[in-house]
Amino acid sequence: VVLVVDVARATISRRASRRYGSAALAASALHFASDFAGTIAVLIGLVLVRAGYPAADAVAALFVAGLVVLAAVRLMRRNVDVLMDRAPGDAAEAARAAIAAVEPRAEVRRVRVREAGGRAFVDAVVAVAPDAAVAQGHAVADNVERALHDALPGSDVTIHIEPRDSTDLRERATGAALSVRRVREVHNVRSVVLDGRTELSLHAKLPADLPLEAAHEIADEIEATVRAAVPEIDRVHVHLEPLAAALTAEPATPTEDDALRRQLERVSAQVTGRPPRSVHLHREPRGLVAFVTIELPGTEPLADAHDAAARVEALAEAASPGLAEVVVHTEPLPRGLG
């Protein structure tokens, strides 16, 4: 009866330990299995003693003692790593491989893995481009977290994003400028070498209601921060811009829409050889604004595509003085055309 009970308890405890990842239930299963094996050994020893082999009792006792020692060693090996926060053998490598596969451009600076309660706890530090926006860094963190959950099912993942070291002057300068509090956007970052000195200019957007005196202090902070982060820059020029508020627009009149569409189609055909894919017009307080989508060969370099868009904008605004702005979007031609 005892043997049957031990087998049942060992089987149920082992299944439960696997299902819930419980070290305590695994230890209980090993304990019941050891009881079963020890009872069998004692019975065999008693049978052999009765058959005329008195040493069998001592052998059975040594066997039971060996089972106890073996069980203790197995439990220690399994749980000491948990108590010492030691990472499982290949978990850290699996985590690094998963991060490299999903974000090959990110720099993995540190990966720590530990196990507790049958779960893996992963702490990773990933570096991204210094000029990456907060949303871009968050997207990288989300991708890494999903990849780690796939590689280590049921894991608890914490990702810390840092700016990586960069040799690109523009990346470093943009990242430094964005690190200044209250700076919302940085664009038009350009560097020139003049008489052996490197000068950098950038546009920074700040809240529109900020007093000029406070905005000027932020500009000074931007200049100091950029020069500290990029010491090879000798001088920094900061152009301050207000953040634009949302505007109320209304559709262009049918007459304006018809005339401007024909004009924009002629300009697009002049530059690209084909009419625009789409034209959208509306009126803002500053005047009419046109959004034009043109098509260019998909193999054309981005710089050339940008030049074509700039020509369309300039020609359209010159031909139609009523246009306040023309915004051109470039798209690749469908495959097989152009």
Side-chain angles (χ1 to χ4, degrees), residues 263-264 267-268 270-271 309-320 326:
Q263 183 63 44
L264 290 168
V267 169
S268 176
Q270 179 182 343
V271 175
R311 290 201 303 274
V312 170
E313 292 173 357
L315 290 172
E317 291 174 0
S320 304
V326 178

Side-chain angles (χ1 to χ4, degrees), residues 174-185:
T174 304
L178 287 170
S179 70
V180 176
R181 300 184 67 178
R182 306 199 74 176
V183 173
R184 303 292 182 82
E185 180 185 324

Side-chain angles (χ1 to χ4, degrees), residues 252-276:
T253 64
T255 302
E256 292 172 331
D257 191 279
D258 185 60
L260 288 173
R261 279 181 183 276
R262 289 198 302 269
Q263 183 63 44
L264 290 168
E265 287 173 358
R266 285 195 295 270
V267 169
S268 176
Q270 179 182 343
V271 175
T272 69
R274 57 184 59 81

